[in-house]
């Protein structure tokens, strides 16, 4: 995103009359039907396995009724206009599961419909400490009666398959007959609500959204109900993928009023209805426990038994216990993970919302990946990307290592599929799919998808970062080493030595993170990350060989490993081609990138953004224009291999031609801007990233939270302003605190020790909160901190600062001194 398009002030982002500042909650004071999709995402609750969008309880007037289970998907054969060998064959998309959020209210036979209701009071709150989304309204019925309606919604962090909903109704002044209809409703009929809306509005295809089905996805398998115990259930099987799902709900009604109840079930509806003679001042409290279970093939009737066990256990423990357990889990989460920005309440609120989203996307994602939208929406089809390893896993690695290990182990379970994919593309080793749910490549557009081979290095990088931060040798020897070896084999096979070029190792025909430049030779990011992958794999194997224990022998036998392979990896890493232009003094994004004309972003109309929705790919590919940071990301991840002067020159070159069409850019631009001295620009980029979803800055928050961006917010704080780096297990801190901030506090868990880091204008304070000791390098000074002995390190300024900070501008000189023109296609 060019600097001119970044809002400069934090108060510009949200309407504070609607969203007041609360450092521990997102609060909404009035509703607006014009942005239902956005608010449904913002107020979603989930635990990484199960997610409930923030739809209204009444189940009507929603943008997209969403209930999602991580990994629960349908498949279909991809139809290519022109076939070719090795194209992706199986499409995958997350399924909108049966919706158990629905609780409809009728007073005097009049339904509560929020968009037209006479609401005297309204508040909705997503509390980051309790993990509960609550709503409190005072409704004046068409007949003039006042009704207090309070509800709570929670997806449990401690019980993976459980959601808890409560719905309380109180007549304040008058008697009224009330009906409450609690439902499990299956709306899946071949088209989700987004596609119906987009067709009606004549919208084009947006590749960021979920795929569309042309068949009924969920085939009914079971439905039953028992009015005596208030339990209802539905079971289904996906038509093509064969995956199964069961959902059951347990109801308890508490009131002094007289009431009757009835039950109804059919293929797509399970409903519990209560009719109550409501006297004024007598509360009616409905508690609804819901359980979801899914499988790749277990019959739905067996899954229903699992639902029963989940509900029985939760009922025996009691509802209060569920809420208490949720609070206790989050207390632990914030102890490990909180980032504090005193004196900046709006920034603090938004930061905690972003961190809370990472928890909701990852906490119970055991056995699955972390989707690009978590479990808050159907965007990107529920697929797993490299986003997880580069943007989400750093937060988990340094705050909740167990969750990071789970995510990495999921990649290990896909290793055989990655080996098969490598063979399809005529490569040795393993090639992980660009986007997937079940392990097969799901990207039908190979140029901007499959060609991004760098995903192998991204996974290896995240794995290595986790190993350095935890010392988890068991994971290395049993599983991680297999990933390192097989990805190294792929790189050596993919690349080649050019003898006439002094034996330099080249990698051709790949796409880097920037999807506006595809299928190129020697993409800098890919080569730099492949070099790391090769070096790390070689070091890991040699480390095991030196031990010469049973673990090494098992690795050799399991992988057919020969140490001569390691020599090849080390040579390829040593000879890796790293593009550099001596005349411009910058690293070209790829071998021919600097030969293209420069796109004039400054004069590109806003209604032509993002470019991918307004220009044919071939138009975009002809220009120097970036969808997302590419070289700049390499400067961050492999910063020890670039000089400060190179970093500044590269940042100044690429910043003006980076569109920000991807939410993955602003956080990285913020980190490097801070490092090279553009401190004000770094803060502006950070604020832009911080409010990506909260302010719907990319106009697609309705499809779900941008989970990678939320992880990037943590990195921008901790690695950008906080200055933290991990270079091969050497932990360093070199902060760049914004001038307007009084301090910044974050936590790091390093080799089992949790350290609290507080950055102030003149010093860095280190305190052990848990564990035995930690060693770091602060602004070049080696420090060891132990319990009970905090350490302060004085700072001589906050790093380099560019006076006046003129923003980098488009237009670069060629080697002959002429200016490269910046043009807008079609002008």
């Amino acid at each position: 995103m060019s600097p001119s398009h970044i809002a400069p002030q934090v108060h510009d982002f949200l309407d504070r009359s609607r969203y007041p500042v609360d450092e521990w909650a997102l609060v909404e004071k009035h509703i607006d039907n014009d942005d239902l999709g956005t608010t449904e995402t913002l107020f979603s609750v989930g635990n990484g396995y199960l997610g409930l969008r923030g739809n209204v309880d009444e189940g009507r007037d929603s943008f997209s009724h969403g209930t999602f289970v991580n990994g629960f998907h349908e498949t279909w054969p991809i139809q290519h206009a022109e076939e070719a060998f090795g194209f992706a064959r199986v499409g995958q998309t997350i399924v909108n599961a049966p919706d158990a959020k629905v609780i409809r209210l009728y007073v005097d036979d009049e339904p509560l419909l929020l968009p037209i209701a006479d609401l005297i009071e309204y508040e909705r709150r997503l509390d980051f400490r309790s993990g509960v989304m609550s709503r409190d309204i005072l409704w004046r019925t068409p007949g003039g009666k006042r009704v207090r309606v309070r509800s709570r919604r929670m997806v449990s962090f401690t019980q993976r398959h459980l959601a808890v909903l409560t719905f309380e109704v109180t007549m304040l002044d008058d008697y009224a007959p009330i009906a409450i209809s609690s439902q499990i409703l299956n709306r899946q009929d071949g088209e989700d609500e987004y596609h119906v809306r987009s067709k009606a509005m004549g919208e084009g295809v947006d590749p960021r959204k979920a795929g569309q089905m042309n068949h009924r996805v969920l085939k009914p398998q079971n439905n039953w109900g028992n009015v005596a115990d208030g339990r209802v259930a539905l079971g289904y099987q996906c038509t093509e993928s064969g995956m199964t799902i069961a959902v059951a709900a347990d109801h308890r009604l508490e009131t002094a009023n007289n009431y009757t109840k009835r039950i109804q079930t059919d293929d797509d509806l399970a409903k519990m209805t209560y009719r109550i003679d409501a006297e004024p001042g007598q509360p009616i409290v409905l508690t609804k426990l819901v359980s979801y279970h899914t499988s790749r093939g277990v019959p739905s009737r067996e899954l229903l038994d699992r639902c029963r066990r989940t509900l029985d256990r939760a009922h025996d423990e009691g509802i209060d216990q569920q809420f208490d357990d949720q609070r206790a889990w989050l207390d632990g989460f914030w102890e490990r993970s909180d980032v504090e920005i005193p004196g900046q309440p709006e920034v603090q609120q938004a930061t905690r919302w972003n961190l809370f989203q990472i928890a909701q996307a990852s906490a119970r994602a055991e056995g699955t990946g972390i989707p690009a939208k978590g479990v808050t929406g159907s965007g990107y089809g529920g697929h797993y990307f490299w986003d997880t390893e580069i943007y989400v896993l750093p937060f988990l690695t340094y705050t909740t290592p167990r969750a990071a290990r789970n995510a990495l182990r999921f990649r290990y379970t896909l290793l055989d599929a990655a080996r098969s994919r490598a063979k399809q593309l005529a490569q040795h080793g393993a090639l992980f799919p660009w986007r997937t749910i079940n392990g097969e490549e799901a990207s039908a557009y190979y140029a901007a998808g499959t060609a991004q081979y760098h995903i192998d290095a991204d996974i290896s990088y995240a794995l290595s970062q986790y190993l350095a931060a935890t010392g988890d040798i068991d994971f290395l020897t049993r599983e991680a080493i297999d990933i390192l070896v097989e990805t190294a084999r792929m790189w050596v096979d993919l690349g080649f030595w050019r003898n006439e070029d002094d034996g330099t190792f080249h990698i051709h025909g790949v796409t880097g993170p920037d999807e506006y430049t595809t299928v190129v030779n020697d993409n800098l990011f890919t080569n730099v990350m492949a070099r790391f992958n090769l070096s790390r794999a070689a070091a890991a194997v040699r480390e095991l060989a030196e031990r010469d224990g049973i673990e090494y022998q098992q690795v050799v036998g399991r992988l057919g490993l020969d140490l001569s392979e390691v020599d090849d990896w080390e040579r390829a890493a040593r000879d890796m081609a790293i593009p550099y232009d001596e005349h411009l003094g910058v690293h070209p994004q790829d071998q021919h990138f600097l030969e293209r004309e420069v796109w004039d972003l400054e004069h590109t109309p806003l209604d032509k953004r993002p470019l991918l929705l307004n220009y044919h790919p071939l138009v975009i590919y002809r220009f120097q224009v970036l969808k997302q940071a590419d070289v700049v990301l390499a400067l961050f991840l492999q910063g020890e291999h670039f000089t400060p002067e190179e970093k500044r020159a590269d940042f100044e070159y690429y910043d003006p031609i980076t569109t920000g069409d991807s939410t993955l850019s602003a956080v990285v631009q913020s980190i490097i801007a801070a490092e090279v001295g553009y401190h004000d620009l770094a803060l502006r980029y950070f604020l832009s990233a911080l409010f990506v979803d909260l302010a719907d800055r990319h106009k697609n928050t309705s499809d779900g939270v941008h989970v990678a961006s939320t992880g990037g917010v943590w990195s921008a704080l901790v690695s950008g302003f906080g200055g933290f780096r991990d270079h091969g297990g050497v932990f360093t801190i070199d902060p760049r605190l914004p001038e307007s901030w009084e301090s910044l506090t974050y936590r790091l868990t390093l080799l089992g020790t949790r350290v609290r880091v507080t950055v102030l204008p003149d010093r860095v304070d280190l305190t052990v909160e848990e564990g035995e000791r930690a060693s770091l390098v602060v602004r070049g000074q080696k420090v060891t901190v132990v319990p009970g002995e905090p350490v302060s390190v004085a700072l001589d300024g906050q790093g380099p600062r560019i006076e006046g900070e003129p923003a980098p501008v488009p237009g670069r000189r060629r080697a002959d001194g002429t200016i490269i023109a910046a043009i807008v296609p079609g002008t």
Side-chain angles (χ1 to χ4, degrees):
M1 183 176 296
S2 61
S4 61
H5 293 111
I6 301 175
Q9 300 295 329
V10 66
H11 60 257
D12 292 340
F13 288 103
L14 292 179
D15 175 3
R16 291 302 176 180
S17 67
R18 183 180 179 189
Y19 299 109
V21 177
D22 184 322
E23 294 187 359
W24 283 103
L26 178 64
V27 181
E28 182 186 45
K29 286 297 187 179
H30 64 83
I31 58 173
D32 187 338
N33 253 22
D34 291 339
D35 63 356
L36 281 178
T38 297
T39 57
E40 287 166 10
T41 293
L42 299 184
F43 287 91
S44 294
V45 290
N47 64 5
Y49 170 76
L50 171 64
L52 309 180
R53 277 177 66 81
N55 307 113
V56 296
D57 301 87
E58 295 73 31
R60 297 186 175 95
D61 305 302
S62 291
F63 176 86
S64 176
H65 296 279
T67 298
F68 300 102
V69 178
N70 192 352
F72 182 63
H73 68 280
E74 178 63 311
T75 59
W76 72 92
I78 296 175
Q79 301 295 325
H80 297 277
E82 295 186 16
E83 290 288 350
F85 183 81
F87 275 9
R89 298 298 175 195
V90 181
Q92 306 144 46
T93 192
I94 195 167
V95 173
N96 198 343
D99 185 5
K101 301 187 297 289
V102 181
I103 303 177
R104 293 177 176 161
L105 172 66
Y106 303 83
V107 177
D108 287 330
D109 295 328
E110 297 289 343
L112 172 59
L113 301 173
L114 259 61
I116 62 173
D118 181 3
L119 299 180
I120 303 170
E121 298 173 9
Y122 172 91
E123 181 180 280
R124 178 163 53 164
R125 172 182 295 265
L126 179 63
D127 192 293
F128 312 144
R129 286 178 293 193
S130 67
V132 176
M133 193 271 281
S134 59
R135 192 187 70 181
D136 189 345
I137 66 175
L138 181 56
W139 172 37
R140 184 185 288 113
T141 71
K145 298 178 180 179
R146 295 190 308 147
V147 189
R148 174 69 68 184
V149 184
R150 294 188 174 100
S151 62
R152 294 181 296 174
R153 185 183 299 171
M154 178 189 83
V155 176
S156 175
F157 286 115
T158 60
Q159 300 210 38
R160 188 177 190 232
H161 301 275
L162 180 70
V164 181
L165 302 89
T166 66
F167 194 80
E168 179 180 339
V169 182
T170 306
M171 298 300 302
L172 298 187
D173 309 306
D174 302 281
Y175 161 86
I178 285 180
I180 298 176
S181 176
S182 176
Q183 305 177 10
I184 304 174
L185 178 60
N186 177 41
R187 296 185 176 89
Q188 185 73 35
D189 60 359
E191 285 194 341
D192 67 23
E193 198 160 339
Y194 160 73
H195 289 291
V196 174
R197 288 169 177 261
S198 63
K199 285 182 177 179
M201 294 185 290
E203 295 178 7
V205 174
D206 186 339
R208 300 169 298 180
K209 298 185 182 289
Q212 177 181 339
M213 299 294 180
N214 57 11
H215 63 269
R216 177 174 177 124
V217 173
L218 295 179
K219 298 189 299 184
Q221 301 289 300
N222 313 90
N223 71 78
W224 56 262
N226 187 321
V227 71
D229 61 13
R231 188 169 290 182
V232 294
L234 298 173
Y236 298 90
Q237 183 176 41
C238 287
T239 301
E240 297 297 333
S241 72
M243 291 196 73
T244 51
I245 187 170
V247 52
D250 204 7
H251 298 84
R252 295 291 185 271
L253 189 75
E254 299 175 84
T255 183
N257 297 299
N258 294 323
Y259 68 91
T260 61
K261 57 185 178 180
R262 65 185 294 268
I263 205 164
Q264 174 190 346
T265 63
D266 59 35
D267 284 349
D268 292 310
L269 176 68
K271 179 165 63 175
M272 191 77 185
T273 303
Y274 297 89
R275 295 180 178 176
I276 306 115
D277 295 324
E279 298 291 343
Q282 295 293 338
I284 303 160
V285 181
L286 174 66
T287 300
K288 184 176 185 178
L289 299 178
V290 182
S291 178
Y292 286 82
H293 281 265
T294 56
S295 171
R296 291 187 178 273
V298 171
S300 60
R301 63 178 179 273
E302 180 176 331
L303 298 182
L304 287 173
D305 288 338
R306 299 180 187 178
C307 289
R308 289 188 183 99
R309 291 195 292 271
T310 298
L311 295 177
D312 288 344
R313 181 174 60 253
H315 181 65
D316 291 343
E317 293 172 351
I319 303 305
D320 290 343
Q321 187 64 51
Q322 308 310 318
F323 288 104
D324 290 345
D325 289 348
Q326 187 85 337
R327 177 59 187 253
W329 191 96
L330 281 165
D331 285 346
F333 171 80
W334 291 115
E335 285 177 6
R336 301 187 305 272
S337 313
D338 194 19
V339 177
E340 301 166 54
I341 309 109
Q344 302 287 329
E346 293 167 307
V347 173
Q348 184 69 80
Q349 178 190 35
T351 294
R352 286 182 175 138
W353 182 89
N354 277 270
L355 300 187
F356 183 67
Q357 297 309 315
I358 310 176
Q360 293 202 130
S362 65
R364 303 308 304 270
E366 300 123 355
T368 65
I370 299 172
K373 299 293 186 179
V375 283
T376 64
S378 60
Y380 290 109
H383 292 165
Y384 316 127
F385 293 80
W386 70 299
D387 305 22
T388 298
E389 280 74 23
I390 297 302
Y391 293 91
V392 180
L393 278 186
F395 169 80
L396 298 178
T397 291
Y398 297 115
T399 64
T400 310
R402 178 189 57 79
R405 192 179 197 273
N406 285 337
L408 291 165
R409 286 209 69 252
F410 170 71
R411 287 296 192 183
Y412 173 76
T413 66
L414 301 184
L415 185 56
D416 282 342
R419 289 176 173 127
S420 296
R421 184 59 176 160
K423 289 179 181 178
Q424 287 179 328
L425 273 74
Q427 304 297 157
H428 296 311
L431 178 59
F432 284 91
W434 175 242
R435 58 189 297 174
T436 191
I437 297 178
N438 63 11
E440 298 184 44
E441 178 62 77
S443 175
Y445 187 56
Y446 74 88
T450 298
Q452 297 201 46
Y453 285 63
H454 66 84
I455 189 169
D456 268 21
D458 303 332
I459 292 170
S460 297
Y461 176 86
L463 189 155
S464 300
Q465 195 173 56
Y466 166 80
L467 292 172
T470 63
D472 191 347
I473 299 300
D474 175 69
F475 181 51
L476 171 63
T477 57
R478 291 195 303 111
E479 296 175 341
I481 189 67
D482 295 37
I483 294 177
L484 292 172
V485 167
E486 295 289 35
T487 52
R489 284 170 168 169
M490 192 283 297
W491 290 119
V492 165
D493 186 51
L494 177 66
F496 66 98
W497 277 274
R498 182 174 291 168
N499 292 328
E500 69 271 22
D501 199 16
D502 297 325
T504 306
F505 189 79
H506 297 268
I507 299 174
H508 285 187
V510 299
T511 298
D514 170 32
E515 294 168 16
Y516 284 175
T517 310
T518 65
V519 193
V520 298
N521 296 339
D522 288 330
N523 168 257
L524 179 110
F525 179 88
T526 301
N527 286 18
V528 166
M529 294 298 288
R531 179 177 64 184
F532 169 85
N533 193 164
L534 290 160
S535 297
R536 184 66 184 89
V541 170
R542 294 207 184 281
E543 177 185 343
L544 291 179
E546 287 175 5
R547 295 181 182 182
D548 196 25
I550 185 64
E551 294 90 351
Y552 176 66
Q553 298 305 321
Q554 290 173 339
V555 168
V556 169
R558 186 168 69 241
L559 300 176
L561 183 64
D562 190 308
L563 280 180
S564 64
E565 288 187 81
V566 180
D567 295 335
D568 289 340
W569 303 344
E570 291 171 331
R571 180 186 168 209
R574 184 180 63 251
D575 296 341
M576 185 68 67
I578 306 298
Y580 185 74
D581 187 281
E582 295 285 353
H583 296 287
L584 293 179
V586 298
H587 291 89
Q589 184 168 293
D590 60 72
Q591 189 179 88
H592 299 291
F593 185 81
L594 298 180
E595 300 171 10
R596 303 183 181 98
E597 297 296 329
V598 177
W599 190 300
D600 189 353
L601 282 178
E602 185 177 358
H603 295 100
T604 301
L606 290 179
D607 62 3
K608 292 295 185 180
R609 311 274 288 269
L611 302 187
L612 79 164
L613 299 185
N614 293 283
Y615 296 92
H616 190 284
L618 286 176
V619 175
I620 299 173
Y621 296 164
R622 295 185 183 111
F623 289 86
Q624 290 188 49
V625 63
L626 281 63
K627 179 185 176 188
Q628 60 203 56
D630 195 303
V631 172
V632 172
L633 180 58
L635 302 179
F636 170 45
L637 300 182
Q638 293 291 288
E640 67 270 37
H641 297 291
F642 298 89
T643 68
E645 293 76 20
E646 289 174 336
K647 291 179 183 179
R648 179 177 292 180
D650 286 341
F651 177 81
E652 290 177 344
Y653 189 92
Y654 289 102
D655 191 68
I657 57 175
T658 303
T659 65
D661 288 350
S662 168
T663 59
L664 304 182
S665 286
V667 290
V668 176
Q669 288 167 291
S670 176
I671 292 168
I672 298 302
E675 182 176 348
V676 303
Y678 283 102
H679 290 201
D680 293 342
L681 185 57
L683 182 57
R684 294 171 67 192
Y685 272 128
F686 169 70
L687 293 177
S688 178
L690 185 64
F691 287 91
V692 156
D693 287 314
L694 287 167
D696 193 17
R697 292 184 54 78
H698 285 245
K699 307 304 178 186
N700 64 345
T701 298
S702 57
D703 299 318
V705 170
H706 293 84
V707 174
S709 182
T710 66
V713 163
W714 183 86
S715 291
L717 286 164
V718 172
S719 297
F721 304 134
F724 173 71
R725 297 289 191 278
D726 172 4
H727 295 312
V730 177
F731 308 116
T732 67
I733 295 176
D734 188 2
R736 305 286 191 273
L737 188 70
E739 285 188 336
S740 57
W741 292 11
E742 60 185 71
S743 68
L744 169 69
T745 296
Y746 58 91
R747 281 91 177 154
L748 299 167
T749 298
L750 306 173
L751 298 174
T753 295
R754 186 172 76 236
V755 180
R756 183 175 72 243
V757 181
T758 299
V759 178
L760 296 109
D762 61 344
R763 69 180 193 275
V764 174
D765 294 340
L766 304 174
T767 304
V768 170
E769 292 188 332
E770 184 177 276
E772 297 180 359
R773 62 192 294 119
S775 296
L776 305 96
V777 178
V778 182
R779 193 65 67 83
Q781 180 177 339
K782 293 183 179 180
V783 172
T784 297
V785 56
V786 297
E789 298 181 19
V791 173
S792 290
V793 179
L795 298 176
D796 180 17
Q798 281 288 331
R801 175 178 293 277
I802 296 176
E803 293 298 330
E805 293 202 19
V809 294
R812 290 292 181 269
R813 292 188 181 274
R814 291 189 177 93
D816 61 6
T818 60
I819 298 292
I820 302 173
I823 68 173
V824 178
T827 62

